Amino acid sequence: AFGRGLSSGRAGDQEYFTIQSKDAWGNDRLEGQSRERFRALVFPVSGDLRKESFVSHGSVDYMRDGAYQVKYKTASSGAHTVVVVQGGLPEVQMINVSLPPKASPRGTFVLLADGAQSAPISWGAPASALETAFRSLPRMDTVAVSRAWAEEAGSYLYRVTFTSRTGA
């Protein structure tokens, strides 16, 4: 990795640096090769790391030829640690939307992430409605959603694959 954002920065300013991913032989990855998944976290060297407010979440964007740009802002001055996590497989989560026995299918539900809330989603909504709702939330880049009906449980099961977020 290289760039100014690895060694210095100012509170509130956009900082950045570049990651150059390599293949199994140590060569720079080429445009046609598979892409990596990265997540960036920045936190002060001192402080209570159990508090979410201390952690800044950076964005990691693919540039070209295996290079990724990491961008972040810190809220406080002082020494910070920058952590970049590389993930392998995308994260998959299941959402079960069920009805009480003998209830009629109606109502809505919402998605919550990082203190933000999606618009209400209708019970039994298609998978595309959940994809749209996820994209409206902060730091939710790309998700793929599928839906299945579970007859015994009287519920819809949504399978959510986070295809661009690592370590969520």
Side-chain angles (χ1 to χ4, degrees):
F2 57 92
R4 186 185 103 126
L6 284 173
S7 60
S8 65
R10 294 177 60 161
D13 286 354
Q14 180 78 56
E15 302 300 337
Y16 59 91
F17 61 92
T18 302
I19 300 169
Q20 178 61 59
S21 61
K22 306 285 186 178
D23 64 18
W25 297 274
N27 301 310
D28 290 354
R29 285 180 121 10
L30 301 174
E31 194 61 34
Q33 292 177 304
S34 62
R35 294 188 182 172
E36 306 285 351
R37 287 183 171 79
F38 294 104
R39 182 173 185 206
L41 303 169
V42 182
F43 51 90
V45 171
S46 62
D48 188 351
L49 298 179
R50 294 171 293 182
K51 294 181 179 177
E52 180 69 22
S53 62
F54 278 104
V55 179
S56 298
H57 297 270
S59 64
V60 182
D61 300 310
Y62 183 75
M63 295 166 45
R64 66 186 174 288
D65 294 326
Y68 296 80
Q69 186 174 58
V70 179
K71 298 177 191 172
Y72 66 91
K73 289 183 182 181
T74 60
S76 62
S77 61
H80 284 70
T81 299
V82 178
V83 176
V84 178
V85 180
Q86 179 183 7
L89 299 173
E91 182 173 341
V92 176
Q93 294 183 10
M94 302 297 287
I95 298 174
N96 184 349
V97 181
S98 60
L99 288 171
K102 299 183 182 180
S104 61
R106 61 189 164 105
T108 61
F109 64 98
V110 296
L111 302 174
L112 301 171
D114 295 327
Q117 178 176 308
S118 72
I121 304 164
S122 296
W123 187 92
S128 60
L130 265 73
E131 288 177 357
T132 300
F134 271 107
R135 283 194 299 273
S136 74
L137 297 171
R139 298 184 302 127
M140 294 291 169
D141 300 328
T142 309
V143 298
V145 180
S146 61
R147 182 186 80 166
W149 174 250
E151 186 69 39
E152 319 76 54
S155 64
Y156 281 110
L157 293 174
Y158 295 92
R159 179 185 171 100
V160 182
T161 304
F162 296 87
T163 58
S164 65
R165 187 172 179 194
T166 302

